[in-house]
Amino acid sequence: MTPQIQAFFDDATWTVSYVVFDEPGGHCAVIDSVLDYDPKSGRTRTQSADRLASFIESQRLTLQWILETHAHADHLSAAHYLRSRLGGRIAIGAAIAQVQEVFKAVFHLEPGFSTQGRQFDHLLQDGEVFPIGRLQAKALAVPGHTPACVAYQVGDAVWVGDTLFMPDVGTARCDFPGGNAHTLYQSIQRLLSLPPQTRLFMCHDYPPQGRPPAWQTTVASQREHNIHVRDGTTEAAFVQLRTARDATLEMPVLILPAVQVNIRAGAMPPAEDNGVSYLKIPVNGL
């Protein structure tokens, strides 16, 4: 079956979330949901996630999977909230354990914090096939931006996470803990070896001035036009470009709260004895 796809763009974080489903009244998956977070007040809202939930309910869909392409650094995941509202299983790539190990140390998390991915309902292995109702989905490991990045292939559509952006924006940064530009290049080549007509769906868009946000392209377009990794770009040239560019980039605004929440599958840290959850700011830690 060809998947039916509904995209939701979050203006605050430039994130695109998706509902992927087989048919109205059938089953669906959510990919890369957003929990609204105000860094000035520390308050959360569910407006973005409620848009997805309302669509799912309007189509009479059963939420089967809540999928993460990786532990995002630029927005908080609404996976925990969506599961509590609509059910479903939260899944991420099995290499999330490596990311948890790194950031448990960075944030000096509580001793009981598991670095084996137990916060998630299912850890996906590279090449693992799983159903979304009548659809068949496949997890593709695409590390480089983080060690745990996963793309999801359903029919002729692939959700690439932060591995690739629109061709006029380029590719993901590799300077976060565990990132590697050589590895990202190999992951991108894996995606660009798919049939030219394969549809690629982005997790973010940061459009150049004058272009409205967009999030769908093709393998053929990426191979011809991507400003960082078009056909003919060698691994050495890509690594040099990516490394030089990464050295000029600031940290994402929400990286500190986002990573702490996202390695917990969208849940907040355990409440302290006053009933309040706290997010940590490691001073001079990154």
Side-chain angles (χ1 to χ4, degrees), residues 182-202:
H182 291 279
T183 304
L184 180 63
Y185 181 86
Q186 296 299 327
S187 293
I188 290 171
Q189 298 311 308
R190 181 181 192 183
L191 293 173
L192 298 187
S193 69
L194 295 169
Q197 69 275 14
T198 302
R199 296 181 291 164
L200 302 180
F201 292 88
M202 311 295 107

Side-chain angles (χ1 to χ4, degrees), residues 64-285:
Q64 191 169 4
W65 293 99
I66 304 166
L67 303 174
E68 302 287 356
T69 55
H70 61 294
H72 305 273
D74 37 33
H75 71 270
L76 281 66
S77 168
H80 187 265
Y81 168 74
L82 286 170
R83 185 180 62 183
S84 69
R85 175 170 171 175
L86 296 174
R89 302 175 71 196
I90 304 173
I92 198 167
I96 188 61
Q98 299 177 41
V99 178
Q100 291 175 322
E101 188 73 34
V102 169
F103 282 104
K104 181 174 184 177
V106 168
F107 293 111
H108 193 58
L109 299 180
E110 68 275 8
F113 177 82
S114 171
T115 57
Q116 298 179 3
R118 294 174 183 165
Q119 300 83 352
F120 298 84
D121 298 310
H122 187 70
L123 301 181
L124 291 157
Q125 303 294 328
D126 183 29
E128 183 174 345
V129 175
F130 58 98
I132 304 173
R134 297 173 63 194
L135 300 169
Q136 187 177 77
K138 184 178 183 180
L140 305 173
V142 286
H145 173 58
T146 80
C149 289
V150 174
Y152 296 106
Q153 183 175 19
V154 184
D156 71 333
V158 179
W159 287 264
V160 300
D162 283 6
T163 304
L164 285 165
F165 298 136
M166 293 297 288
D168 58 357
V169 178
T171 60
R173 65 194 297 168
C174 298
D175 59 331
F176 295 156
N180 185 288
H182 291 279
T183 304
L184 180 63
Y185 181 86
Q186 296 299 327
S187 293
I188 290 171
Q189 298 311 308
R190 181 181 192 183
L191 293 173
L192 298 187
S193 69
L194 295 169
Q197 69 275 14
T198 302
R199 296 181 291 164
L200 302 180
F201 292 88
M202 311 295 107
C203 176
H204 296 284
D205 187 38
Y206 308 100
Q209 188 173 6
R211 174 172 73 72
W215 44 81
Q216 180 178 343
T217 182
T218 64
V219 166
S221 182
Q222 291 281 14
R223 292 182 61 171
E224 184 175 359
H225 300 296
N226 190 287
I227 61 173
H228 294 165
V229 70
R230 63 170 61 93
D231 279 356
T233 304
T234 66
E235 182 172 340
F238 173 78
V239 170
Q240 181 179 19
L241 180 154
R242 188 69 265 169
T243 303
R245 178 167 172 75
D246 288 350
T248 71
L249 300 177
E250 296 182 345
M251 286 289 104
V253 171
L254 296 182
I255 184 171
L256 295 177
V259 171
Q260 291 179 74
V261 170
N262 295 342
I263 60 175
R264 299 178 188 269
M268 293 294 162
E272 299 195 12
D273 57 12
N274 62 353
V276 177
S277 292
Y278 291 86
L279 297 169
K280 294 184 174 182
I281 304 295
V283 179
N284 299 321

Side-chain angles (χ1 to χ4, degrees), residues 12-33:
T13 63
W14 306 93
T15 302
V16 193
S17 303
Y18 299 90
V19 177
V20 182
F21 61 107
D22 50 8
E23 56 192 348
H27 293 77
C28 70
V30 164
I31 301 177
D32 289 338
S33 61

